[in-house]
Structure formats: structure tokens, C-alpha cells
Amino acid sequence: MAETQLQEELFDVLTKTGQKTGITKPRGDVHRDGDYHRAVHVWIFAESTQELLLQQRADCKDSWPGLWDISSAGHISAGDSSLTTAQREFHEELGVNLPKDAFELIFVFLQECVINDGNFINNEYNDVYLVTTRDPIPLEAFTLQETEVSAVKYIGYEEYRSLLGKEDPGYVPYDINGQYGQLFDIITKRYKENTSERSLNLQKKLRQYAPVSLNAELIGLSDVDKEALALVIKAATIMDEIFHLQVWHSNPALRDWLKERAVASELDRLKWMYYKINKSPWSSLDENEAFLTTADSTVKLLPASTKQMTGWKGLEYKAAFPIPKPPGANFYPPDMDKMEFELWKGSLTGNQQEDATSFFTVIKRLTECSIDCSPCDHTLDGTNNSVGSIHDLYSVPYSQEYIPYLKRAAELLHKAGDLASSPSLKRLLRSKAEAFLSNDYYDSDIAWMELDSKLDVTIGPYETYEDALFGYKATFEAYVGVRDDNATAQLKLFGDNLQLLEENLPMDSAYKSKEVIAAPIRVIQLVYNSGDVKGPQTVAFNLPNDERIVKDRGTSMVMLKNVSEAKFKHILQPIADSCITKEQQELVDFESFFTHTICHECCHGIGPHTITLPDGRKSTVRLELQELHSALEEAKADIVGLWALKFLISQDLLPKSLVKSMYVSFLAGCFRSVRFGLEEAHGKGQALQFNWLFEKEAFIFHSNDTFSVDFTKVEGAVESLSREILTIQARGDKEAASLLLQKYSKMTTPLKVALQKLENIQVPVDIVPTFPIADELLQ
């Protein structure tokens, strides 16, 4: 008896809301005491026959013996993860070995019931997975675990729903009118949706983007520089490949599948066109709502995933992706939560913790190496924090995770560096190539800041918006352009006055930096971009994000002038004509729009970055605010940028003619950015600003559904919000940041009215650029 008890499976005990308590108990005790715990349900659905696979529970089971039930199911043992449990149970019970991209988490179901005369209390959170196969797997191909499963059969999903609705005694009961009804609703929606309606919906989404051809003059580039440009653009296309993989592990396969099938039908063409803009199955302008499902995804063949059958080529399944966009993208295991990460991080040494939270590592599971069909080729030693650890996580540097891509990109950049005529460009390209292979980006980022070349190149891992879990991990991107020398010279004013702006920021002097290094500003005409440039297009960026460099050297800014001009013409001007009162429409102009964009980027470089916490510890704003950092930082750069413009005007450094136009142009710009969606950092930050200024009566909503600026109140409102955000950042106060965003980052009635007007007259939300010069060079 004692030996049996020792071998009994242990479960993590959960709170009633599903959080781990830190307590583990034997399986029997959990069901005796009614403790909340976690399990997995895995369903096989065959597309061609619209059938679900059911298993008949073995007669020896202590719950529902002999009844027909889920394809495969099992408890998650203490310390185990959801996805690896689903894979393992699938293999043990049915003899089917599938990789992680076959499993789609469709919902979580809480089952609370008491059976066996009150002796078995089941309070269970079930992660419900769907495995979609093209055709039914032959029943003879299964290898059944006799102690768990006595038989399997396929049944039409509508017939199965009917049997559950009638509470047929031969089937384990589920309330189809409750949470579990989602299983049938999801399948029905996927396979009975009207094709014409779906095509119209995708056409509507595509109309949100104005097609724009971006050109640039190559005058000033020598012939060898043009050769270097072609090589750099080829390297930039590889950033696209990496980014697709960073978004979701089955995303590259989905991309290739959609591209191949784009000529099959009008609907397939529209799917591919909208996918190209978003670079994923989630729509950037719809708060990352999925516009595709796993039913649209690529078909993969596994010849040896089951028992071999004569005349059967093997199992064909759909590479899955979840309906909600995973907050951790492909930087973390899909079933990892914050608590698991924090517990693991807490067990590491200081250097290992830096690796875990680094911009340039991905987090993996040790169990993936043993259970996934794909081989694990990562060396598990002290460098990735796995040896001797009781935890299932370890970190892998980008230089190892993406080595096939980075090696090719490095070779191209080295060749381009050999050709480049500019010494600073040579240094940048060569150091970036070395960084790709070493995973140390410090020197290459310094070289990027010191770039002084007609050909302007930004390439590598930078922004952390995709990591909505923590905001730690950087995505790969590239911007290649030609410097606009005249515009660059005109903008020196802003970089020269950063320290003056820092000294006068509306926050406590104790939080101000004594030394702010002027951010060099470069204005370029964009020739090509790639990687993390999905959905709405940026008009400028301020880099690097590495706090070490920001502290020591400041930042540099790149303005994309031809992108700004296209957005003003196709988007901001029509917005102003529709949403701003007639008396103030003429105040919306390109100069104000572009000047505020400059100031926005400058203001990323001032304010708190490296901070001292109340307990005396040194930290950074990014580490303290985690997933809230991006939205609050974008709001800070925006609102402090507006404050900074007024300050520079008061110092006679900018013309007073900007005063009114900058506020009204900013108001029109609010509607432009909020349309990006409140799941996106810029949209969330812009909603915060609009709602704050509206509450302070700086923005006025008129009875004819137009808006105006109250010039007597706007300056004070801008300053008060600037102070609020800067102080939260300086204190690293995540709770205050959360409360601020919860209160103001929402779609209020005035915003809804404005956005509805813009939708009615079909003002584009953003542009989708094409690059004729790059296309010609890549031929």
C-alpha cells in the first residue's frame, strides 16, 4: 500500500480561479477532497467526413467506466506543461505521435461534478485542444492503451452534439449549452461559413489600407554603393523570414501554403493579400482578431506517426494556430504562464536571469526535446540555464535559434560592407554581421548610431511589441533608405536641445538625468522595409532600445519622410476634413504633423530609462513595467513630444505659428492612431491621451460630431498627463501604470463616433507600401 501511494501521480493544486497554489497532492487525495486541478482534452476532427474521434473508456477506470468520451484526455502532473501532456497522452492512449503544431488550444473548460456516490469529486480545469486531420485515421492504425481505452470510433460532430443534448447514457455527459458547446460552435463556424460573405469581409479589411508606391532618388549613390544596396536588400528579406517564425511556430508554413494557393480562387487570393499585410493570421487593425482559422492552414504529412498500414500513406494534419493571438508569440512555450517563468527566473543566477530577460533569447522547454517529433538540437548545458534545474525552461540565444537565417544574412552584409564606399557604413554592416553570429549587438548598435552615409541601413532585432507577455524579446526588422541631406540638416535643432528639454520636464527634479546625449536625427527616403513592419507602417523610429546604450550614448532617430508624406495625404488630411470643425481644419498641416513626429522620437530618448527603485535597487522602466511598457512609452513620447514643442516655441527655437496647428494636427492624429486598435501599443497609448485630454476639456466634442481644441486648456492638460506618465516610469510603478491604462485606454463614445464616421466614408486606416526600386534590384 505504501509503495502504491509513493507511485501515485501528483497534481498541482489550484485556486478556484485556476492559479497554482504551490501545493501538490496525490491524485486520489485531490479527487477525494475536491481540489481544483488541471487536465487536457484532445479531440481529433476529420475534415473530409466532419467527424470526431471518440474513445470508449476502459472498464477499470474510476470515473465513467465503459462510456464513450473525448479522443484523448489526461491529468497534467505536477510540474508538467499543458501542451507536452497533450502530446504524451495522445501517444500513450492512441499510439499517435504528433508535433506541437498539430495541437490547437481552442478554449479552457471548468468541469465541476461529483460522481461515484460522492466519493469522486472532480473540479477540473481542462485545456481543450483540437487536432484537425484531412481524413479519418484508419481505426486499425491506432495502438490503444488497454488500461485506459477499450475501443475508438468516429462519429459525425452534429450527431455527437445531439446525443449529448439527449443525455444518452452511453456517453460521458457534457453541457452543450454551457462552456463545452464552444467545441461544436467553433467547428460549425469554420466549415459552414458563407464564402461570399467571407470574401466581402476580407475586401472590406483590405480597403483599410491605401496602396502606395514609395520611390526615392538614388542620386548621390555610387555604382558600388548601388551594388551594396542590392546585397543589403537581400539580407533584409531574410529578416522577414525570421520575423514570420517569431510570430508563431507554424506561421512560416501557413505563409507558404497561402501563397501557393493564392491562384486557386478569389477567396484564396484575398486571404493571401491580407495575410501579407499582417504577416500572420491575426488582423493588426482588429485588436489581433483572427481572420483565418486552422481550417485555412497548411496540410502536413506524417508517414510514420501511427502504426503502419498497407495502402495508407500516413496521417495528414493541419498545422494549427490558436484563435487568440498568443501573448508570448513564439518567444516562449505556448503553454507557459507568467508564474512559471518568474519561478524559473528566481532560481537562476544573476547572469542567467539576464539571459532569461534578454532581448536576444528565446525560452524553450526541456520536455519539448524528448516528446516533440522534431529533434532537439540545442545543447543543454550551463550556458542556457538547464543543468541541475528542477524547472522545465531554458534559454537559447538568437544566434543559435535562427542560425540558418542569420548565417545567410551575415554573409550578404559582409559582402555589402566590402563594397560600401562609406567607412561608417562598412563598419556598421560588418559589425552587424558579426552580431548576428555572436548574439552581442552592443558594438553594432553603436556603429548604427554613428552611421554617416548616403545609404542608410537599419537591420536586426529591435522592437519588443510582439512580446505582449513581458515586453522582453526583440523582433527582427530592416529599413533601407537614402538619406535626405537637406531635411536632415534642418532638424539638428531637436538633437541639440535634448538636455534642455530633460532639465525642464514636468516631473520631480530628482528623477531627471544630468546628462542626456543629443540624439542624432537622420531623415531618409525609404527604399525597402521588412520583418516587423506588419500592419500600420511607422513614420519614424528611435533606437536602440538597449538601456546600456541609452544611458551611455543616448539614441538615434530615423525619420521616413516619404512614408510621412503618404500618410498625411491619404489619411490625415481626409480625417481632418471629416472630424475637425471647419474653423480649425486649415490648422492641420504636414509641417506640424512631421514636426511632432520628430519630437515624439526625440522624447523616447529623454525621461526615465535606468531608474532607482524605492528600495534602492537599480532597474529599468522596461523591466519594471513589463508588458505595459510599450504602450506607456509610446504615450509618453507622444504627449511629452507635444509638451516639448510648446517649450521650444516658448524659447523662440520654433516659430509661434506652430502653436495652434500642432495641437489640432495632434487631435486629428489621435483618430488615425486609435484606428490601429487597442491591442497595439501606439493605439492603446493614443486612446489614453485622447481620453485624458477630453476629460480635461482640452478637446471638445460638438453636436455635429466634429471636434476642436480648446486652446485655453490644452497646454495644462498636456503638461498634467506628461507629469503623470513620467512619474510612473520614474518610480517603476506597474500598478499605477495598469490603473492609468485601464481607466483611459478604452474605446469611449467620442472615439467610437469619430471612427464610425471614418469607416462610413472609407478613409484608409494606413498605407501598404510597395517598393519598385527594391523589386528591380532583387530581380
Side-chain angles (χ1 to χ4, degrees), residues 126 317 542 593:
N126 298 287
Y317 72 95
N542 189 292
F593 171 64

Side-chain angles (χ1 to χ4, degrees), residues 94-97 137-143 301-315:
L94 303 176
V96 181
N97 194 23
I137 301 169
L139 299 184
E140 298 82 2
F142 292 106
T143 303
L301 172 64
L302 293 177
S305 63
T306 65
K307 189 189 301 179
Q308 297 295 301
M309 298 286 300
T310 304
W312 186 53
K313 63 181 179 180
L315 187 155

